[in-house]
Amino acid sequence: FLKLNGIFYWHTAYLNGMRLGANEGYFFPSEYEITGMLQKDNELLVEVDCPDEDDKGKKRQITGVFHHWDCIDPETNPGGMWLPVEIMSTGPARLVDPFFYTAYIKGDRTSARIMGRVSVDTEKQADLTLKISFVPRTFEGAPVVFTRQIKKPAGVLTYHYNFDLPD
């Protein structure tokens, strides 16, 4: 996968003359599958555009202070690559966008409920073990590991989960 970690603002990406895709966003990362596309010598072309919008009251782009703030020269154009470009190699399964969206102390105050989601991408059907580990970084304690066996069809599938984290 080719990952553009942060392009400001519009982009279209090409690898070896093949269009990978396009994206719009305020440093929003984009990933493109490039399996089978790499050659001995490769050319990556990324077209980037960040046009100025003259009527600041009717802006279409979400550019924050970069296009409308008294502390930046109004002639400044923030368009470009702001974060690194990576090529990521994966095995037969790939985690996409893991996210913990809720954590709260349960009523008995001896555990916390952790809720989240993760998308798993596989090229073909697979029997997988999804393993999530919580490891203390700022205090002493043993890691807590949750596992779930999943029968996953081909493609991307999102799993939602709830775990009770003790102590």
Side-chain angles (χ1 to χ4, degrees):
F1 288 83
L2 175 75
K3 184 175 184 182
L4 305 174
N5 283 290
I7 305 288
F8 195 103
Y9 186 77
W10 305 84
H11 80 264
T12 304
Y14 303 84
L15 180 63
N16 298 326
M18 298 291 294
R19 184 178 189 272
L20 298 174
N23 194 33
E24 167 188 1
Y26 187 75
F27 309 110
F28 193 78
S30 301
E31 292 183 8
Y32 303 102
E33 186 169 357
I34 58 171
T35 303
M37 295 180 71
L38 291 177
Q39 303 169 5
K40 181 180 178 193
D41 293 311
N42 297 281
E43 180 181 59
L44 175 63
L45 171 67
V46 182
E47 291 180 290
V48 178
D49 192 17
C50 185
D52 188 32
E53 296 181 283
D54 293 328
D55 187 346
K56 303 301 184 196
K58 294 182 180 178
K59 295 190 305 185
R60 185 200 175 294
Q61 300 174 95
I62 301 171
T63 57
V65 299
F66 292 101
H67 264 162
H68 193 187
W69 185 34
D70 340 358
C71 295
I72 291 182
D73 180 344
E75 298 299 313
T76 300
N77 187 317
M81 287 188 184
W82 282 62
L83 294 170
V85 174
E86 301 175 273
I87 293 179
M88 302 177 304
S89 178
T90 67
R94 178 175 85 103
L95 297 181
V96 182
D97 192 30
F99 184 67
F100 300 106
Y101 52 82
T102 304
Y104 65 90
I105 304 297
K106 291 180 62 177
D108 62 7
R109 305 193 65 77
T110 63
S111 63
R113 171 65 49 100
I114 307 292
M115 292 181 276
R117 71 164 191 264
V118 64
S119 296
V120 182
D121 184 5
T122 57
E123 189 174 313
K124 56 187 175 184
Q125 180 178 333
D127 294 329
L128 302 172
T129 302
L130 182 60
K131 177 178 168 183
I132 299 174
S133 303
F134 294 91
V135 180
R137 300 274 179 183
T138 59
F139 61 91
E140 293 294 320
V144 177
V145 179
F146 299 98
T147 59
R148 178 182 293 167
Q149 301 300 315
I150 55 176
K151 286 191 171 295
K152 185 175 162 327
V156 178
L157 192 60
T158 299
Y159 295 91
H160 295 267
Y161 49 83
N162 299 322
F163 297 115
D164 289 332
L165 190 60
D167 301 321

